[in-house]
Amino acid sequence: MSQRTKDQNVFFVLILMLTFVLTACSGAAQPTSEPAATEATEALATEAPVQSGSLTVLEWAGYEIPEMWVDFGNTYPDANVTFNFGGSDPDIYGKVLAGSSEDIIHMYTPFLNFYVEEGLIQPLDTSKLTNWEKVPQGFKDACTIDGEVYCVPWDWGYSSILYRTDKIPEGVDSWEALMDAKYAGHISMWDDGPSAVSVGSYLKGYDETNLTDEQLEEIKQLWIEQRDKNLFYWVDEPALEEAISSGDVWVAYAWNGAFYRLLQAGVPVAYADPKEGRNSWIGQYAISTKAENYDLALAFLDSKLGEETATHLLVDYAYGHPIPEYFSVVEDPLLVQALSLDDPGILERTNFTVPISSANRDRFVEMWAEVKAAP
Amino acid sequence: MLKNRTIAWSLLTPSAAWLILFFVLPMIGMLILSLRPDMRGGPFQLGWLPTVKHYQNIITGEVYLPLLWLSIKVAFGVAMAATLLAYPLAYFLVFHAGRRSSFLLTLAILPFWTSYLLRIIAWKTMLGSNGLVNNLLIYLGLVEEPVRILLYSRLAVIVTLVYVWLPFVALPIFASLHRINPSFLEAAAILGASPWRSFFKVTLPLSLPGVIAGFFMVFIPTVGEYITPMLVGGTRSTLYGNIIELYFGDGANWPLGSAMSVVMLAGVLLLALVISRLVDLRRLVG
Amino acid sequence: MQKRGAPFFAGYYILLLFALYLPIGILFLFSLNDGVVFAFPLKGLTTHWYRDMLRNAELLQAGMNSLQVAVASSLAATSLATTSAIALLRFQFKGKSPFIALALVPLLVPYIILGAALLVLFAILGVERSLWTVAVAHTIVSLPYALLVIMARMVGFDKHLEEAAQDLGATYVYTLRRVILPLIAPAILAAWLVAFTVSFDEFILASFLIGRRPTLPVYLLSQLRFANRFPQVIALTVLVMLASLSLVLLAQWLQRRGSAIPESDRSGQFARVPGFEDLAFQGEGSSEPHE
């Protein structure tokens, strides 16, 4: 065998060894999986309050940090909470539907209904939620389906029109702005069918929960015409923020997080209060029908309504929290502006995202696909 | 050639089994799923009645087929551009780079080892209104306003894809150019052929298998491309792959997505069948 | 060899290389940028993203996951490709064409379709998605490339070498070990490298098939939503690129060390591209002096 081949063999073996060493190291570093359920059932068997046990949460990236459930962490220091992640509502829903067995699920308003439809989550015993009375009725309603409460509301925010005040000095007061020819080439809509349907319903004055085929077709045509004025459909906020920052986009469908970050970056932007009303989405925590430690899970949900958790949510992530009495902790004037905390009547003018049926969601998604695919 | 069938088959069986289990079976599964009306009840549901409504939707709906055709055209353009740009690169490496050719080739391929996603995002900053390209154009006085079509447009998608695939296409072209016996070129020169004639009559034809291989290596994946349109494409840059991704992702309509995939696959396979007449696979095996 | 036009070609190469590396240079710049928005102008230089990255366990774990998947799938693909290549090129039996067609057909299937199909398969079989499911998918897509690389090398070989060994009394297994495998070892290595590369940066199949532990590209995309974490991701990518560069340079160095002695089974020139040395001689259109 030539010297070269020998060298190559050495090289090959080196690579193999290196990679095995690395993978072995990572294997050792893996966190141990949740302790057996026996610990939890033992705890339930005794009369003492549930102090320990384990929970798994199907969560969105960023919410697993201890600050986001600090009240629970303080009250139940021995409990073991592990997080699995999903990338989007459909992803999370798909996972649960396919049999994923997390105890607690974090979804957003439109999807709650699907979980109930398919029997994936169980009703909550609100008498055991110490913070439930503090939650405003609107938020409670968003968690109630057929009289039963299925979730605890937590993070929420607005969807409205974000615009550059220097490019649009006249301001924006209607969702029409997303369709306005004056801003052609500088508009960006979120890449989401159901939201497009919501906006279309606001503009046409239709009832989103009860759209006929003709009405949906009209909304579709509205968005097909909008395409030539739209620069791109944004998928992630950083891309949108960058485009607004650079001046490529003057007006966009956006959440208030983007508003806040652009304010912090010193970009001249404003967040509209359209006459048809803003849209609002709410993040919700629900308990899976497969959960083994119902009481512990309920305690986790309750703690999400706790004050320290709320403070972190508001200040660290610039998202709203359902309980208004905690808002005073927000000192940053930009954040106050971003969350419209200084506008007490805003919630009444807001259209909370309504639960829709799976069949409707399918229709809306298809409509959106046809808008995007249209020649 | 040895005739021991036992050894042959024992060597082949693991691969065959793997391919059947993890390739053929999933494809069949997808075909079956494309006949399911909807995903109500989750993936394990069995009691549904097959329907061809998705195929009807696709074929007669006047939306999806034109989009597929558009995607094919875009993929063709990208593959063409990448191949044309890569050819001189490979040519340089084989015929003009001498001893350093392998190092230089590796250097050219290395960007391929960086994250595909991040390269696209970096390209985005270059193409934007504030990006390098526009800054350069304005600085040189070639334009007064930033050229906006460079980003969020079909052009951006094509340029980005060409950029991403270019190093990859150079490889097979390099390989086939390298195989050319230099005595042929010497012979051509001796017989009086000009360098151009020698290129067109000797080099190019002999390198064609590599060119075709490179072309298809780009063309096929690009037909189903969806990430680049998502990141740098504009409103009109939606490609067939984006819609499939929609139905398997947020749209949660796996049956329709499967039907779309089957249709796309049929189209691509048809094209490949046509081309396979040109390049006989058997030559590889003998 | 034509030397005319060399400056043109050299210039073309340099221009293309510049264009290829420019975005990477930009990435590098942004990994040092003291700001979070990925746009010009830069805000100041800092290395704190690199420090943050090293402390970001999630990010590092994602990188490790990618490594694991790439190693597993490349080893599997290469082994399968090697055994298949040997069977196809050295044995006579029916069913060769169908097998080659089957092995190469994945090349024709856009990843999104394969990803979706495997998603469906695993859902129906009740197999939970995980890094293993991703590795399986990567094996399928790497196999054709690995097979082609190894077959290309084997085709150029004198088939009689093995027959000679067997005539001299060697068993097939011995021949395999001592004659065939050493001769195609560079191709196996090259095939492995290709398979590894395909897997490490692959996004589409991974995004369809990962379970709880993301691979690096998938993690990367998920971090796009968090602008303040993004520069760390860029820092990691820059490091990965530097690591691959060193790896490749190491391979080059090893190559160069052994190439002073031309191997006896080749005539004509040779090149030092890993795995491609075999292609330098006896290509298409040339006459084979030994047959």
Side-chain angles (χ1 to χ4, degrees), chain A residues 88 90 97-98 118 185-186 227-228 230-233 235 239 242-243 246 248 358-359 361-362 365-366 369-370 372-373 375, chain B residues 40-44 57 63-64 67 124 129-130 148 152 230 233-236 238 243 246-247 249-253 256:
Chain A
S88 66
L97 202 60
E118 298 277 352
H186 297 281
R227 284 199 322 168
D228 284 326
N230 195 63
L231 182 60
F232 69 102
Y233 297 118
V235 175
E242 200 233 304
S246 71
D248 277 329
S358 308
R361 190 185 147 80
D362 282 352
V365 168
E366 249 190 84
E370 287 169 17
K372 290 169 75 172
Chain B
R40 215 67 70 233
F44 303 115
N57 189 356
V63 169
Y64 298 112
L67 186 63
K124 238 177 105 155
S129 321
N130 268 354
R148 303 198 60 223
Y152 303 128
M230 202 166 82
T235 320
R236 285 299 180 97
T238 308
I243 307 294
L246 173 67
Y247 285 131
D250 283 11
N253 192 340
L256 182 49

Side-chain angles (χ1 to χ4, degrees), chain C residues 63-64 103-104 118-119 137 163 170 178 188 239 241 276 283:
Chain C
M64 196 55 71
L104 295 183
L118 279 169
L119 180 68
E163 285 180 17
R178 288 310 213 90
I188 296 183
L239 279 188
M241 213 205 79
F276 282 103

Side-chain angles (χ1 to χ4, degrees), chain B residues 1-2 15 44 85 89 96 102 104 106-107 110 113 116 118 125-126 163 178-179 184 220 227 282 284-285, chain C residues 2 12-13 20-21 26 38 80 84 90 92 97 100 108 123 155 201 203 237 244-245 248 271 279 285:
Chain B
M1 276 291 182
L2 301 167
S15 315
F44 303 115
L85 283 175
L89 181 75
H96 292 284
S102 62
L104 293 178
T106 316
L107 208 58
L110 205 61
W113 283 56
Y116 160 74
L118 279 187
T125 52
M126 277 177 38
Y163 160 72
H178 213 130
R179 287 163 90 122
F184 280 3
I220 305 285
I227 300 179
R282 295 238 188 99
L284 264 179
V285 181
Chain C
Q2 298 107 309
Y12 184 81
Y13 175 82
L20 286 173
Y21 277 92
I26 292 185
F38 200 69
L80 291 176
S84 308
R90 292 293 180 263
Q92 187 102 312
S97 292
I100 289 200
L108 293 177
V155 162
D201 188 38
F203 173 78
T237 310
S244 11
L245 178 60
V248 171
L279 299 173

Side-chain angles (χ1 to χ4, degrees), chain B residues 175-188 201-209 283, chain C residues 155-156 279-289:
Chain B
S176 65
L177 276 175
H178 213 130
R179 287 163 90 122
I180 298 178
N181 194 328
S183 36
F184 280 3
L185 296 165
E186 285 167 20
K201 291 284 187 180
V202 182
T203 318
L204 188 57
L206 286 177
S207 64
L208 219 47
R283 278 204 294 180
Chain C
V155 162
L279 299 173
F281 91 110
Q282 312 296 20
E284 281 153 0
S286 60
S287 53
E288 295 194 44

